[in-house]
Amino acid sequence: MADASGDAKDIEKLYEYGERLNEAKDKSQNEDDYKNIIASATSTNIKARQLAAQLIPRFFKFFPGLSGTAVDAHIDLCEAEELGIRVQAIRGLPLFCKDTPEHIPKIVDILAQLLIAENVERDAVHKALLSLLRQDVKASLTALFKHIESVDEPIADDKPIADDNRERTLIFIRDKVFPIKSELLKPQEQMERHITDLIKKSLQDVTGAEFKMFMDFLKSLNIFGDKAPTERVQELIEIIESQADLDAPFDVSDGDHIDRLISCLYMALPFFLRGASSSKFINYLNKNIIPIFDKLPEERKVDLLKNLAECSPYATPQDSRNILPSVVQLLKKYMPARKTGEEMNFTYVECLLYTFHHLAHKAPNATNSLCGYKIVTGQPSDRLGEDFSEFYKDFTERLKCVEELAKATMKKLTQGMAQQNKTMATAISDEEKATIKTQKQNATTGLRTCNNILAMTQPLHSKSPSFIGDKKINLSWKEAVKTIAPSTNSTGVKRAGSTTNGSGNYANKRGRGGGGNQLVHRAFEGISHGGRGGGGQGRGWGRRGRGRGRGYR
């Protein structure tokens, strides 16, 4: 009974301190009352501490000399063993800043550290942070992003906590801040620029998934919207270039760099379409990647070639001229000569022919010395006085061989699809039907690949060919663009994905005709190999590392 009586007296005293402070016109004269309230934060009385969690922030602004002591006492309440005290203390944190906004950075920092809480406590942290974001979005975001930016390596015992806190901060920003950006980011242009700068600082050490999240958000900002000038779009490309480490030397054994490079190039494609420069990527590929293409991991080669094909329409004439020799050399490597027993990778050839056409369309006379063509532009680079007839003969023979292989494969694929239709009619189990459906999808993609190859080889037999530089060819791994009436909110053509999850990437080596044709076998077996690992979903967006070790794989 004595304890209960003492607890009641503690509560009664706290109410008295609060009432006197409430009634006092010059509250600074009641400093002792506020000190007593702060002291009650260490009371053994749970209700007294809960009441202190309400009163400390309420009168905080009147006692600037006690601000440090008051905040420290309140932080202790936020870490109390009792859930009720913690939740009450967390709810009171924004009140410290209501009339003293200079405390926002410190309070946001405290709340960010409390994001590791769960359930009702976490909800209280979220509400408190959102309250401060609405009060001063610039100061709050700046403090919040400090928990994401690269920092010195924490000591071993603290690293799991630091990483968990960083992860929770990212989740809060993604789930709570980004969705209400139009409400929070005001004045719009100024605050969109501020959050862009904060994101840039945070990109030194991110996983692929985190980078994609930030880029998706930046794309959604008005300053980078569809009406943004080219220099703004170029700013996004420069962010992607930095993440791809295009200024760093390339080490073929660095799988993380390979993954980042391919993923970032894929991410950059929509911005090339909007007028940003592809020069840095293309020059890096020409200097560092294509020369050691054979040494790349097999599963990444097709990703690289698909990305190269899709960015080739946006290459400048000078970049096209520079990279064409490397592309032609690679194309000849994968287009078998008639009399050799070479095998063919249909997807590689489709990618390289597409790339060749688009580059040659911008620098046509560069093909004279590479393929033996006779294209006249009136420039010294035409080199019309030199004899490149052997190059022309070799190139066209390879084209004929490719066409024969493509036609033979199309015949087998068509026959196989007819058989699959019969098998489907007698299939009983869902598993059988699903297998046959996959086989048919792979065969359909195989036919698209072969049709594209034939459409691109036929013009190249002429000694002065017309290169394809438009959207006439729809690459086999992309869905056909459907013609629909434009809607009022249309913002451009969205990049289509693969309907077969990259099943256009057939075997690494192909037999020529007969029972050895792996393209046909794979289509009939329904096995989907390879794919677009570096594509929109990102390949192996792994665990966050430190510094260069970002774990993109």
Side-chain angles (χ1 to χ4, degrees), residues 40-57:
S40 66
T42 59
S43 170
T44 57
N45 185 334
I46 293 176
K47 290 185 178 180
R49 281 188 287 159
Q50 278 185 304
L51 185 54
Q54 296 179 44
L55 297 175
I56 290 173

Side-chain angles (χ1 to χ4, degrees), residues 260-465:
R260 267 186 288 120
L261 175 66
I262 292 173
S263 298
C264 288
L265 178 54
Y266 181 93
M267 218 175 287
L269 293 173
F271 304 117
F272 297 153
L273 178 63
R274 293 176 59 187
S277 172
S278 62
S279 289
K280 197 164 184 178
F281 269 107
I282 287 177
N283 291 331
Y284 191 88
L285 293 175
N286 188 32
K287 180 181 177 182
N288 297 282
I289 309 300
I290 296 179
I292 50 89
F293 182 79
D294 284 348
K295 297 180 182 179
L296 293 176
E298 289 298 323
E299 71 273 16
R300 305 311 273 142
K301 288 180 179 178
V302 72
D303 294 333
L304 178 69
L305 291 180
K306 286 180 177 181
N307 286 342
L308 178 61
E310 291 193 53
C311 77
S312 62
Y314 313 112
T316 65
Q318 186 58 49
D319 289 340
S320 299
R321 185 175 297 278
N322 291 340
I323 198 174
L324 257 173
S326 300
V327 170
V328 171
Q329 186 177 1
L330 209 54
L331 182 56
K332 287 181 178 180
K333 178 178 176 61
Y334 290 104
M335 289 199 309
R338 182 179 298 278
K339 294 180 181 179
T340 68
E342 296 176 63
E343 298 171 330
M344 184 171 121
N345 185 311
F346 285 78
T347 306
Y348 285 15
V349 172
E350 180 192 10
C351 291
L352 288 165
L353 280 171
Y354 187 91
T355 302
F356 174 75
H357 269 282
H358 280 277
L359 298 175
H361 180 74
K362 296 189 181 75
N365 66 347
T367 63
N368 292 357
S369 60
L370 298 172
C371 308
Y373 290 132
K374 298 286 185 182
I375 296 174
V376 180
T377 65
Q379 300 297 318
S381 53
D382 290 347
R383 300 176 67 177
L384 295 177
E386 301 177 58
D387 183 10
F388 299 110
S389 57
E390 284 300 315
F391 291 171
Y392 176 75
K393 180 181 178 183
D394 174 71
F395 196 66
T396 52
E397 281 183 357
R398 290 176 185 274
L399 291 172
K400 289 175 185 175
C401 184
V402 167
E403 289 169 348
E404 289 177 8
L405 288 170
K407 289 174 182 176
T409 299
M410 290 177 73
K411 183 177 180 181
K412 290 182 173 66
L413 286 171
T414 304
Q415 291 170 348
M417 290 180 77
Q419 182 60 43
Q420 288 159 5
N421 288 333
K422 293 179 183 178
T423 308
M424 180 65 88
T426 58
I428 299 173
S429 70
D430 290 341
E431 185 178 349
E432 282 182 285
K433 292 177 181 178
T435 300
I436 296 168
K437 183 179 179 181
T438 302
Q439 291 171 347
K440 290 178 70 177
Q441 287 177 334
N442 289 349
T444 300
T445 303
L447 286 171
R448 287 208 303 265
T449 299
C450 293
N451 272 317
N452 282 346
I453 288 172
L454 291 175
M456 290 186 285
T457 56
Q458 288 167 4
L460 300 179
H461 289 284
S462 168
K463 288 194 173 183
S464 299

